[in-house]
Amino acid sequence: MIRHIDTAAAEIYEFKEKNPQRYKELLEVGIRIGFGESPETEDKAVLTPDKVRAKYLPKDAAYAALTDAVIEGEVKESQRLTAALLEKGEDPTGLVVNALMPGIQTVCEIYDNGDAFVPEILLANDALVAGVALCQERLGDIPSAGRVASLVIEGDVHDIGKNIVAAILRANGFEVIDMGRDVLVEDVVDLVKKEKIDLVTGTSLMSTTKEGLRALSEELKASGVPVACGGAAVDDHFVETFTNSIYGKSPLDAVKIAQSIVSGKDWVEVRKEMKIGKGQEKEKIKN
Ligand code: B12
C-alpha cells in the first residue's frame, strides 16, 4: 500500500486521538523492535522473583544451595559449598553449568523485571566468579586443546556471559586469552597477528553494539581465524548476515565450535554443523 506521507500522518494523529492507550502501547513495541527485541515477546508475562528463582533452581538440594548462595551474592558461602561439592567428587564443569550459572541467570532476570538493583547483580557476579575459580583450580593444568581469545565487543560492558564462556572453555582444556570488555576490533586484529589463535569468541548484549561483531568477523577473515558470536543481542539470523562467523547460544556451544575449528574444519562447515545440532535439539523437544 503506497500512501502520501501527509495522509499517513493524519491517520496516525486520528488514531492517537481516538485510542491514546493503544497508541502508547504500539509506540512502545516499535521502540523495542528498534532496540532489536522481537515483537513476539510483547505479551511475555513478567514473573515474580520467587517464580524466576523456581524456574532456574536445580532439583538437587546441594546444587540448589549453591545456586542460592550466588543469588544472595554470598561469596564465602559460594566458595564453601563449591569446595564441599568438589570434595565429594562432583564434576567442575557440571557445577559451573548446573549450579553456579543458574544463580546469575536468576538475578539477571529479576533485575531485568525491575525487582533487583545493580549492586545485587555485581555481588551475585562476585559469588559466581569465586565458585568458578575453585572449579578451574580443581581442573588444574591440562594439555591445551587450542587457543581462544574471548572478548565483549566495543561499546559493551556486559561481561558476565563472556566470563562464563571463558570459564567453560578453560574447563574443557582450551587456553583462553581473556581480552575483557569494550574491546576494539583493531586490538583483536593485532592480537591475532602476534599470537597463534584458533578461534575468537565475541559477545554482544546490546543492539547498539552487535554490528561490532560483523566488523570483527570480516576484519579477521584474511587471517583465517573465525569468530564465534554470542550474547543475548544476537541470534543465528543476524550472525548469518556476515562471513567468517558462527553463532552459538550457550557456553557449551562455544566449546563445540572451538573443538570443530581446532579439528581443522572451516567456519562454513562448523556453521552447518551447529545448525544441524540445533535442528536435532528441536526435534528432541517435539518428541
Ligand atoms: C547485568 C546487566 C547489566 C550490568 C552489566 C554487569 C556486567 N559486568 O556484565 C550493568 C548494570 C552494568 C548494565 C549496564 C547497562 N545495560 Co544492561 N543488562 C544487564 C542484564 C540484566 C543481564 C545481562 C547478563 O549478564 N545476563 C546473564 C548472562 C549470563 O547472559 P549472556 O551475557 O547473554 O551470556 C550467556 C549467553 O548469551 C552465552 N554467551 C555469551 N557470550 C557468548 C559468546 C559465544 C561465542 C557463545 C557461543 C555464547 C555466548 O553464554 C552465556 C551463559 O549462558 C540485561 C537484561 C537481560 N536479562 O539480559 C541488561 C541489558 C543487556 N542492558 C541493557 C542496557 C540498555 C544497559 C545500559 C545501556 C543501561 C544504561 N542506560 O546505562 C548499560 C550498558 C552500558 C554499556 N555501554 O554497556 C539492555 C540492552 C538493550 C538492547 N537490546 O540493546 C538489556 C537487554 C536490558 C533491557 N531489557 O533493556 N547492564
Side-chain angles (χ1 to χ4, degrees):
M1 181 177 28
I2 300 168
R3 279 202 213 143
H4 192 276
I5 185 80
D6 296 341
T7 323
E11 279 180 25
I12 293 170
Y13 280 121
E14 197 186 320
F15 180 74
K16 185 183 173 191
E17 290 299 310
K18 276 195 193 146
N19 198 341
Q21 183 55 34
R22 185 68 188 140
Y23 175 82
K24 196 168 163 263
E25 282 166 14
L26 288 173
L27 201 64
E28 275 166 14
V29 173
I31 291 169
R32 282 164 48 192
I33 293 171
F35 270 110
E37 286 184 31
S38 159
E40 286 155 24
T41 59
E42 187 186 349
D43 295 325
K44 206 171 78 183
V46 170
L47 299 178
T48 61
D50 281 346
K51 286 197 174 141
V52 176
R53 180 176 167 275
K55 187 168 101 178
Y56 291 107
L57 205 66
K59 290 201 175 70
D60 179 278
Y63 275 46
L66 179 52
T67 303
D68 269 333
V70 174
I71 296 172
E72 297 304 327
E74 291 166 353
V75 173
K76 290 227 160 78
E77 189 63 356
S78 169
Q79 280 169 328
R80 190 184 70 76
L81 293 172
T82 306
L85 284 162
L86 288 171
E87 208 44 50
K88 260 180 61 191
E90 295 289 335
D91 169 44
T93 308
L95 280 184
V96 175
V97 174
N98 301 318
L100 292 159
M101 253 170 67
I104 196 75
Q105 274 159 339
T106 304
V107 180
C108 285
E109 193 166 322
I110 294 174
Y111 170 87
D112 211 22
N113 293 343
D115 293 319
F117 299 96
V118 174
E120 288 165 277
I121 293 187
L122 301 181
L123 287 172
N125 190 41
D126 288 347
L128 166 86
V129 169
V132 168
L134 290 179
C135 292
Q136 281 178 350
E137 220 172 84
R138 171 56 56 108
L139 286 160
D141 286 338
I142 33 187
S144 172
R147 296 189 95 206
V148 179
S150 289
L151 61 111
V152 180
I153 201 69
E154 182 178 3
D156 207 321
V157 302
H158 297 92
D159 64 356
I160 297 173
K162 182 267 296 166
N163 294 340
I164 296 174
V165 168
I168 300 286
L169 280 165
R170 284 189 180 122
N172 282 276
F174 288 90
E175 201 182 321
V176 178
I177 300 177
D178 188 341
M179 299 187 73
R181 56 194 190 176
D182 189 11
V183 175
L184 299 176
V185 170
E186 47 265 44
D187 289 346
V188 192
V189 173
D190 280 352
L191 179 87
V192 166
K193 271 187 198 146
K194 283 188 209 131
E195 307 258 352
K196 184 191 172 324
I197 303 287
D198 298 298
L199 175 76
V200 169
T201 73
T203 297
S204 160
L205 267 281
M206 298 200 293
S207 44
T208 47
T209 60
K210 66 181 187 181
E211 282 297 329
L213 294 179
R214 180 196 304 277
L216 177 65
S217 304
E218 291 183 348
E219 279 294 320
L220 284 178
K221 198 172 175 184
S223 70
V225 178
V227 183
C229 302
V234 300
D235 58 18
D236 51 348
H237 300 295
F238 170 69
V239 174
E240 284 170 21
T241 61
F242 47 93
T243 58
N244 196 34
S245 59
I246 307 136
Y247 170 70
K249 195 172 169 57
S250 69
L252 290 174
D253 283 350
V255 173
K256 279 185 216 152
I257 296 169
Q259 285 167 339
S260 293
I261 292 293
V262 168
S263 78
K265 293 177 184 158
D266 66 15
W267 67 268
V268 181
E269 280 175 275
V270 182
R271 188 188 267 183
K272 258 193 228 146
E273 207 174 76
M274 294 303 292
K275 268 184 106 73
I276 294 168
K278 201 175 136 200
Q280 280 167 348
E281 255 167 47
K282 273 195 188 152
E283 254 334 282
K284 255 194 252 160
I285 294 165
K286 262 202 302 189
N287 297 331

